[in-house]
Amino acid sequence: PDVAILDPMLTVGLPPLLTAATGMDALSHATEAITSTQREPVADALGLHAIRLIRKWLPAAVHNGADLNARGQMLIASTLAGASFGNAQVGLVHAIAHTVGARHGVHHGTANAVAMPYVMRFNNSDVAGQNALIAETLGVDVRGMSVEAAGLAAADEVLRLNNELALPTTLKEVGVPESDLEECAQVALSDGAIVYNGKPVFDPDEVLAVIRKAWSGDHSEF
């Protein structure tokens, strides 16, 4: 687009749950751009500032929908995150969200919010440095942590934010049947977003492992 009109008055009536879910959608745009195989400095800068704004202003926008400052800051964050992933693309979080959205009607932002902590854990072996930067930007005190531990702390902080915003935290909660997890993994593997995932994924069993954890709420290591 040539112009983005960021008028917070237009979002005042958005209910708390949709405010939370669309805000976490914006967060997933930024986190996936920063960990993408196509990441680059401008996308990183846009994404990191989007993350700072989202962490500060999304809870306020959810808890008081009439807070025009919070809603305005979220519109800025969303635009920055959109420009970030417009440059660098998204990854497995979106591949899973596209799949469960199409197959089971899961709201897109909600699906991204649910999948994000599990994918971040899965990806950490390859993108711990980027995840650690995300953790620090989210306000996690990473001093004294190894890079790997700090990367995992980013996933924990995203999960904590989901809980703070009263969002679902598993695919089971949003109606994805256990019987369809294997097919979801196959479909997600063919989604275009997966090409840019920070950790290369070619095996449907790897995707299935992530989806199973996201379905059950298993936050153990991969």
Side-chain angles (χ1 to χ4, degrees), residues 28-47:
S28 73
H29 294 157
T31 60
E32 291 216 284
I34 290 165
T35 56
S36 164
T37 56
Q38 296 215 138
R39 67 179 293 233
E40 48 85 16
V42 173
D44 280 0
L46 294 168

Side-chain angles (χ1 to χ4, degrees), residues 37-199:
T37 56
Q38 296 215 138
R39 67 179 293 233
E40 48 85 16
V42 173
D44 280 0
L46 294 168
L48 288 168
H49 192 49
I51 291 169
R52 290 187 192 98
L53 292 175
I54 291 165
R55 185 63 192 90
K56 180 175 182 179
W57 295 107
L58 180 56
V62 170
H63 298 315
N64 178 12
D67 185 336
L68 291 181
N69 187 39
R71 288 202 176 275
Q73 293 296 320
M74 280 304 302
L75 288 174
I76 293 168
S78 176
T79 303
L80 291 171
S84 180
F85 94 88
N87 279 7
Q89 304 302 317
V90 288
L92 180 56
V93 173
H94 275 74
I96 292 172
H98 293 157
T99 300
V100 299
R103 294 178 69 81
H104 302 292
V106 183
H107 172 259
H108 180 66
T110 304
N112 279 327
V114 169
M116 197 171 2
Y118 304 95
V119 173
M120 291 175 77
R121 282 188 165 273
F122 171 74
N123 285 345
N124 198 60
S125 59
D126 286 40
V127 298
Q130 293 101 294
N131 275 348
L133 187 57
I134 290 167
E136 189 173 10
T137 307
L138 284 168
V140 178
D141 185 356
V142 300
R143 290 174 296 181
M145 291 186 185
S146 67
V147 174
E148 291 74 16
L152 293 174
D156 292 341
E157 182 63 15
V158 170
L159 178 64
R160 201 193 70 73
L161 184 55
N162 280 339
N163 283 316
E164 180 182 339
L165 300 173
L167 284 167
T169 56
T170 68
L171 293 176
K172 183 178 182 179
E173 288 177 74
V174 294
V176 177
E178 188 174 15
S179 60
D180 196 46
L181 298 186
E182 289 191 21
E183 187 64 26
C184 283
Q186 291 283 353
V187 173
L189 190 64
S190 68
D191 188 275
I194 207 167
V195 174
Y196 307 101
N197 193 60
K199 180 177 182 176

